[in-house]
């Protein structure tokens, strides 16, 4: 019998509406719930990201973050 996927930590997360929609879409396509999808993404972070593109996107996100909070 396969072992049940065990979540060991729970934490409150603040997400943008766009980010949550993308997470739900990814989770649905992958047949996972949102927590399992986040675990997959972070456990495989290097494989699912392009380091150069990530740095550029992160700088762009950070530059717009304060305006988005208002």
């Amino acid at each position: 019998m396969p072992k049940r996927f065990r979540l060991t930590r729970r934490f409150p997360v603040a997400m943008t509406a766009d980010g949550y929609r993308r997470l739900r879409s990814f989770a649905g396509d992958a047949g996972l719930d949102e927590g399992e999808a986040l675990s997959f993404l972070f456990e495989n972070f290097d494989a699912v990201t392009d380091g150069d593109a990530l740095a550029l996107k992160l700088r762009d996100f950070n530059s717009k973050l304060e305006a988005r909070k208002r």
Side-chain angles (χ1 to χ4, degrees):
M1 177 176 250
K3 198 172 193 182
R4 172 106 171 101
F5 184 74
R6 188 171 152 218
L7 299 175
T8 58
R9 300 278 188 259
R10 293 190 179 271
F11 61 98
V13 177
M15 296 185 80
T16 63
D18 290 341
Y20 187 63
R21 272 194 298 277
R22 294 291 306 265
L23 175 62
R24 286 180 49 117
S25 174
F26 170 72
D29 292 345
L32 304 170
D33 68 30
E34 288 89 356
E36 293 165 340
L38 282 173
S39 291
F40 169 80
L41 290 171
F42 283 108
E43 287 176 13
N44 298 285
F45 191 76
D46 292 334
V48 297
T49 60
D50 173 358
D52 296 331
L54 177 64
L56 179 64
K57 292 283 189 182
L58 185 57
R59 279 194 303 274
D60 184 49
F61 182 83
N62 281 332
S63 71
K64 298 175 183 173
L65 189 57
E66 284 304 315
R68 293 176 81 176
K69 288 181 179 180
R70 294 180 201 149

